[in-house]
Every structure is written in C-alpha cells, then in structure tokens.
Amino acid sequence: MEKIIYLSEIEEYDVMHNNVLGAHSLWEFVKFYSSYHSTKKNPDLLLLMPVLPIVFNKTSCELICRRNFNPGSLINTLIEDKGIFIGLQKRMEDMSDTTFNSLRIAFAANLLSINNNDFKIGSLSQANPSLQLPQDYNNIILASKRLGAWFAKYEISQITNYLNITF
C-alpha cells in the first residue's frame, strides 16, 4: 500500500533526513543560546550535537514546545517525562551525519560560523525569513529556540548529566 505524504505532514523519518530543516533548527538554537547566555557567549560545537536528535523526535519536540523559555523548564521537562531522553546518546551518534551536514548547509548559507580556535558556533544573521510553514516544522523551530535558551543557563557538564549523554 502506497503512503501519501501531504506537504503539511512531516514524518519523523523524513525530518531526520532533512538537512535544510536541520540547518534552520541549529541556527535558531545558536541565536537563542547566545541571546540567553549571561555573557552572550556562543555555544560550543559539542552542544549542537543533541539538538537535532531531540527536536526531530516528535514526542520530545511537542513536550518542549509546551514549555516556556525559563531555565527551570528543562528540569521540569525531565521531571514530567523521565523517559523523554532515553536513547538520546544512540540517536545523537546515529544522527551525527545529519547534524554535520546541516551545519555545512548553515555555514554555506552564511547563517552560522565556527571559530576554529575554540570551536564556538556563532550566528551570522538574525533576520528570520517570512514563510508559511507547516505546524510540525514550526514546532521543531520552537523547540530549537527553547533548547538554546535552556542550554545557555547550564554548564556543559550539567547538560550532559541531565541528558545522560557523553561527547
């Protein structure tokens, strides 16, 4: 039986392979991380590795979208659904190619830059395009923004501990 995919429907499998959506998500993450960080610092490259595996997962994306930008929201999300990040380490490893391909697109499109001395990722643009996008796409972008804001409030060691991941 052939499955019909409508434009407004984004399946998790299809999203996982969409490097352009990944580039947009990572760009939003970096912008919000930098704007919410107490010293406006850019995130380390390592902090971008769990972003796509989290926001491309429909369950975690929807749970994050229901939250606000307060730093305690990350902890509340973990408390509400303790299993939300189970398997994140494997998903992060499995999706590393998608993350790096998305980064290449973001670099080529002059959305992001990398400092080769400290591997910090910076945003080169702040302007958002005015596009009518499906709700699932918008949810991924909203979740990316929230993750950026949340991650900015914690040290890398705390994030890896909370998410049970290693780099």
Side-chain angles (χ1 to χ4, degrees):
M1 175 181 238
E2 183 177 318
K3 181 177 181 193
I4 299 172
I5 298 177
Y6 296 98
L7 184 59
S8 64
E9 178 184 350
I10 299 180
E11 296 291 328
E12 189 170 343
Y13 176 83
D14 299 321
V15 169
M16 285 177 45
H17 296 92
N18 191 331
N19 296 325
V20 173
L21 174 56
H24 188 180
S25 294
L26 294 173
W27 176 53
E28 295 291 353
F29 172 86
V30 169
K31 287 191 316 181
F32 274 72
Y33 181 98
S34 299
S35 69
Y36 276 81
H37 194 275
S38 60
T39 62
K40 306 303 180 201
K41 181 176 103 172
N42 289 327
D44 293 317
L45 172 63
L46 293 177
L47 280 180
L48 276 69
M49 298 308 294
V51 173
L52 298 184
I54 292 171
V55 302
F56 282 1
N57 178 279
K58 190 172 181 74
T59 303
S60 60
C61 182
E62 288 175 353
L63 187 61
I64 291 167
C65 283
R66 292 196 309 256
R67 301 285 179 198
N68 58 37
F69 288 93
N70 297 331
S73 293
L74 174 59
I75 304 303
N76 290 337
T77 301
L78 292 167
I79 291 169
E80 180 180 325
D81 189 343
K82 291 175 180 37
I84 193 72
F85 296 122
I86 289 178
L88 179 58
Q89 180 71 42
K90 175 142 177 47
R91 288 197 323 263
M92 191 171 70
E93 292 167 4
D94 291 347
M95 291 186 65
S96 63
D97 285 346
T98 302
T99 298
F100 285 120
N101 288 333
S102 297
L103 279 169
R104 282 187 200 94
I105 290 170
F107 295 147
N110 289 319
L111 295 173
L112 296 175
S113 66
I114 186 166
N115 181 320
N116 291 325
N117 294 321
D118 61 6
F119 299 103
K120 302 277 187 197
I121 306 295
S123 174
L124 294 174
S125 175
Q126 295 299 317
N128 283 325
S130 296
L131 302 172
Q132 294 290 352
L133 299 167
Q135 187 59 48
D136 287 344
Y137 188 107
N138 287 328
N139 285 345
I140 289 169
I141 300 306
L142 289 172
S144 299
K145 291 176 179 180
R146 282 172 176 76
L147 280 178
W150 296 347
F151 281 20
K153 301 299 181 184
Y154 299 98
E155 296 295 322
I156 290 178
S157 60
Q158 292 173 295
I159 294 168
T160 58
N161 186 42
Y162 294 150
L163 301 181
N164 196 26
I165 56 173
T166 59
F167 298 115

